[in-house]
Amino acid sequence: MLRLLMPQTVTIAVDIVAWGAFHSLTGFAAHRLDERRLVRDGWLLRQRAFEDGGRWYRRRLRIHRWKDRLPEAGALFPGGMSKRQLPTYDAEGLRVFARETRRAELAHWWALLCGPLFVLWNPPLASALLLTYGVLVNLPFILIQRYNRFRIETLIGRLRR
């Protein structure tokens, strides 16, 4: 495999800048997604049986105890929406919130998928550490978006009845 050779300090600086760029670019790409593409869960975003409407995250991960301690950057780009609170409590507000959780989840999946690029210029141990960093930084946000969306979709279902 062709690996770029750089001094260690340069490599570390490139790694830091790369993760920042990957998060910024994937966040911006998700921000630019057309709302119509976020109306439904695709294969990646759909609920799995074990998730049980988000209850699995609450029971097993105690997500409700720590999710609000993490930063929220939904309003980082102009026109974006913070997911700290619901926009409104009617069905349309709930649908908007669910849509924005899809957007955020995709942004974190895309950032996570950038991780393998680090093998291009890092030695194996550093690559493994950077991939682990990518998982540890993105996975909690993916889980939070799924937990919130499944709970919101349950509420939307109740409103329909």
Side-chain angles (χ1 to χ4, degrees):
M1 170 188 284
L2 175 66
R3 181 171 288 124
L4 300 173
L5 295 175
M6 298 181 278
Q8 188 174 17
T9 55
V10 173
T11 303
I12 291 169
V14 168
D15 292 339
I16 292 168
V17 169
W19 266 126
F22 293 154
H23 277 102
S24 297
L25 292 171
T26 58
F28 185 71
H31 172 71
R32 301 284 299 160
L33 273 176
D34 189 287
E35 292 176 2
R36 291 173 293 190
R37 296 190 64 189
L38 299 166
V39 173
R40 289 187 175 76
D41 294 338
W43 174 86
L44 179 63
L45 304 182
R46 73 177 168 80
Q47 186 173 172
R48 303 320 194 255
F50 79 90
E51 292 172 299
D52 192 25
R55 287 182 282 280
W56 184 87
Y57 297 105
R58 187 177 181 91
R59 283 191 313 263
R60 300 287 183 205
L61 303 179
R62 307 265 190 253
I63 198 167
H64 60 288
R65 293 187 180 172
W66 53 265
K67 71 180 185 79
D68 293 331
R69 294 184 185 151
L70 272 60
E72 207 298 311
L76 182 64
F77 298 110
M81 184 189 111
S82 171
K83 290 164 296 307
R84 285 272 180 223
Q85 59 187 20
L86 294 170
T88 62
Y89 294 96
D90 60 1
E92 183 55 29
L94 296 175
R95 280 191 282 277
V96 167
F97 189 86
R99 180 189 72 215
E100 294 306 312
T101 64
R102 288 182 188 97
R103 184 184 311 278
E105 185 179 343
L106 282 173
H108 285 284
W109 277 117
W110 293 343
L112 184 59
L113 290 174
C114 292
L117 295 173
F118 287 94
V119 303
L120 296 175
W121 66 86
N122 282 284
L125 178 60
S127 296
L129 291 172
L130 288 160
L131 288 167
T132 301
Y133 167 83
V135 170
L136 292 175
V137 166
N138 288 288
L139 190 59
F141 293 99
I142 291 168
L143 299 176
I144 290 167
Q145 301 315 314
R146 295 181 71 78
Y147 170 71
N148 285 335
R149 184 170 64 258
F150 301 150
R151 290 175 53 225
I152 292 298
E153 288 173 348
T154 299
L155 288 174
I156 292 171
R158 287 181 188 160
L159 289 175
R160 282 189 199 130
R161 286 184 235 130

